[in-house]
Amino acid sequence: MTEQRNIVVLGASAAGLQSTHYIMKHILPALKKSKTDAKYHVYLVNPSSDWWFRVASPRVAASTTRMSTEQILFDIRPGLKQYSSNDITFIEGTATGLSEQNRSVTYRRAGATAEETLSYHALVVATGSRTYHQAFSMSADTATTLESIKLTNEKVQTAKDLVIVGGGPTAVEFAGEVAEHRNGKPGWFSKIDKTANITLITASDKLLPALRPAIAKAAEAKLRALGVEVLYKQRVVDTSSSGPRTVITLAKGEKLEADLYVPAYGVEPNSSFLPGYLLDDRKYLKTNEKTLRVDTAGPRVYAIGDVASYSRNNIIDIMGSFPVLFVNLKRDLLAYNPLLPDEKPKGKDRVYVKEEKEMQFVPIGSGGGVGALMGWKVPSFFVWLLKGRDYMVGMSGAPTASGESMKKEIAWTKEEAVI
């Protein structure tokens, strides 16, 4: 009887969805050509049948008149129809557990109460992370995210006082989008007509920690030109309701009131379904930062993207880790010997090296922004051209959903090859 070996991908994040397309386009065909008589089947498990292009969420969260939800919400299923149903199954469900002893995952289908079990031969964990404000990520179902966007839009439109907490790209981008939406753009010889009080609070002494101080100061100047007040070295210790408004208490005792309070700082990994001993003290999945294998979970288990301990929660890390995951996954699968199931492949693994050069683009409104590329500061127009005009929806959104972004196969070296 032919053995079925399941390749399971948990999470249709940008990392998980593109990994699935790559496996289908390049790794599965290689396995079919190999000498083994086993049958391989790919499973993609995700809580929603939609993929949310998170990069553009600050603009959509500010107002869907600036960018509609339809532009950044992609149905996963049409992109998977290019592959045979004999080779891949999409499960709309939420991962609920992992047993490395049984080499299986449990999940609950959307709308169901009972758990189901799925065995794996290889497992890729790509469940990503969630933001503290639902409008910036889709860690739940589509309806929950859309409802958060609707409510945020309504508050942005009517609020007199808005407080945004955070100093990273999401907070700065959202503040810029909200400010431009409410206060308009400053002209060459004119200032904005301020209709809302917008305050951005950060616990740090600068904005955008991944960029140098001079670029962070330029970001502050652009925000101030749009009517945003920036408060540094202030930490929020409590929030409470006072009628329709939110009372924000700062560490130094000062209190602010807002019609809209948005926590736009940091993320939490979607790792609650994983055993605690596989997680680090920040709740990230402990991942070999060189090979992207989860060594403590046994052979042929990998992690990629925001849920993994090696990640700095940015798209640069995801793109840089694709070649490592794909080469090592292919090596492990092609070298698999059922008589020695735990044996590692001979030859050389592909090794992940973090990109340490300064690289980030942060639009501030629709007119430009700040950023750096490979250590070089870039002009505001360049930020607009690359990201600010549509938040890279055309360049990255649709190609990710369709699998076009994974069209090119990553070649392995002579030392990495498994024969």
Side-chain angles (χ1 to χ4, degrees):
M1 184 176 177
T2 302
E3 178 190 2
Q4 178 164 316
R5 297 172 183 169
N6 295 333
I7 303 171
V8 178
V9 181
L10 296 181
S13 58
L17 186 54
Q18 291 183 94
S19 294
T20 302
H21 279 294
Y22 188 91
I23 291 167
M24 296 304 301
K25 290 180 184 296
H26 306 295
I27 296 180
L28 196 62
L31 292 170
K32 288 183 176 182
K33 292 178 182 177
S34 66
K35 298 175 182 178
T36 179
D37 60 355
K39 174 179 170 53
Y40 288 86
H41 194 88
V42 177
Y43 288 88
L44 173 61
V45 182
N46 193 62
S48 171
S49 60
D50 295 312
W51 174 61
W52 180 248
F53 186 56
R54 186 167 168 173
V55 173
S57 62
R59 180 162 289 173
V60 177
S63 175
T64 51
T65 62
R66 299 178 68 77
M67 180 177 282
S68 69
T69 53
E70 289 78 11
Q71 288 177 268
I72 69 170
L73 193 65
F74 298 89
D75 191 336
I76 292 167
R77 294 165 295 186
L80 300 179
K81 286 183 178 179
Q82 62 189 291
Y83 313 117
S84 170
S85 59
N86 293 324
D87 293 331
I88 186 169
T89 299
F90 171 66
I91 298 173
E92 187 174 354
T94 302
T96 57
L98 165 68
S99 171
E100 72 273 21
Q101 293 88 0
N102 298 326
R103 296 190 66 78
S104 66
V105 294
T106 53
Y107 63 91
R108 186 180 296 109
R109 292 182 188 268
T113 56
E115 290 185 346
E116 298 179 53
T117 301
L118 179 63
S119 64
Y120 63 81
H121 177 68
L123 175 67
V124 178
V125 182
T127 47
S129 62
R130 60 189 178 275
T131 54
Y132 294 98
H133 189 64
Q134 183 68 53
F136 297 135
S137 64
M138 194 165 74
S139 54
D141 57 35
T142 303
T144 302
T145 299
L146 293 180
E147 180 63 18
S148 178
I149 290 167
K150 178 177 178 290
L151 294 175
T152 305
N153 278 195
E154 291 172 353
K155 286 284 190 178
V156 166
Q157 188 63 34
T158 60
K160 180 182 178 183
D161 300 299
L162 302 93
V163 173
I164 302 161
V165 179
T170 299
V172 171
E173 289 171 356
F174 181 64
E177 294 292 331
V178 168
E180 186 177 283
H181 184 65
R182 289 297 306 274
N183 298 334
K185 290 183 183 181
W188 287 103
F189 303 105
S190 62
K191 295 183 178 181
I192 51 103
D193 183 17
K194 190 173 180 179
T195 63
N197 301 314
I198 303 165
T199 304
L200 179 62
I201 300 174
T202 175
S204 178
D205 59 358
K206 66 184 281 290
L207 298 173
L208 305 173
L211 296 173
R212 72 193 75 165
I215 298 178
K217 276 296 181 185
E220 179 189 350
K222 288 183 179 295
L223 287 171
R224 291 192 183 280
L226 290 168
V228 179
E229 181 183 4
V230 181
L231 302 181
Y232 295 101
K233 297 182 180 180
Q234 299 278 8
R235 188 178 297 277
V236 175
V237 294
D238 185 49
T239 60
S240 60
S241 297
S242 177
R245 287 164 68 86
T246 301
V247 178
I248 301 109
T249 304
L250 304 180
K252 296 179 181 179
E254 184 182 356
K255 294 181 183 290
L256 303 174
E257 285 197 18
D259 302 297
L260 175 62
Y261 165 74
V262 176
Y265 52 85
V267 295
E268 291 182 308
N270 293 321
S271 62
S272 59
F273 69 96
L274 294 167
Y277 53 83
L278 295 181
L279 307 179
D280 66 13
D281 56 1
R282 301 178 304 140
K283 304 300 182 183
Y284 286 83
L285 180 55
K286 289 187 284 190
T287 308
N288 185 317
E289 63 179 19
K290 294 186 181 297
T291 67
L292 305 192
R293 295 188 184 95
V294 183
D295 295 327
T296 52
R300 298 178 305 284
V301 180
Y302 317 83
I304 186 170
D306 284 10
V307 73
S309 59
Y310 78 92
S311 175
R312 295 169 294 186
N313 306 119
N314 61 51
I315 193 67
I316 302 299
D317 282 355
I318 292 174
M319 299 306 293
S321 47
F322 278 146
V324 180
L325 172 67
F326 300 154
V327 168
N328 291 341
L329 174 60
K330 183 179 178 181
R331 279 171 44 74
D332 290 350
L333 290 174
L334 286 177
Y336 176 72
N337 181 352
L339 299 178
L340 298 168
D342 296 341
E343 186 178 49
K344 291 186 177 181
K346 295 179 174 61
K348 186 178 181 182
D349 285 327
R350 182 68 62 95
V351 173
Y352 175 68
V353 179
K354 287 184 179 181
E355 177 54 68
E356 300 292 354
K357 292 180 180 177
E358 185 183 33
M359 188 153 54
Q360 193 173 75
F361 303 101
V362 183
I364 301 175
S366 62
V370 300
L373 176 65
M374 300 301 289
W376 295 89
K377 179 182 176 182
V378 297
S380 178
F381 173 77
F382 189 84
V383 177
W384 172 85
L385 184 66
L386 189 68
K387 186 178 179 183
R389 53 180 172 172
D390 71 346
Y391 272 83
M392 301 173 74
V393 169
M395 181 189 305
S396 184
T400 294
S402 68
E404 188 68 17
S405 63
M406 294 288 108
K407 188 175 181 179
K408 186 177 179 181
E409 184 173 10
I410 295 166
W412 56 13
T413 66
K414 183 179 179 180
E415 291 78 14
E416 294 167 343
V418 174
I419 300 175

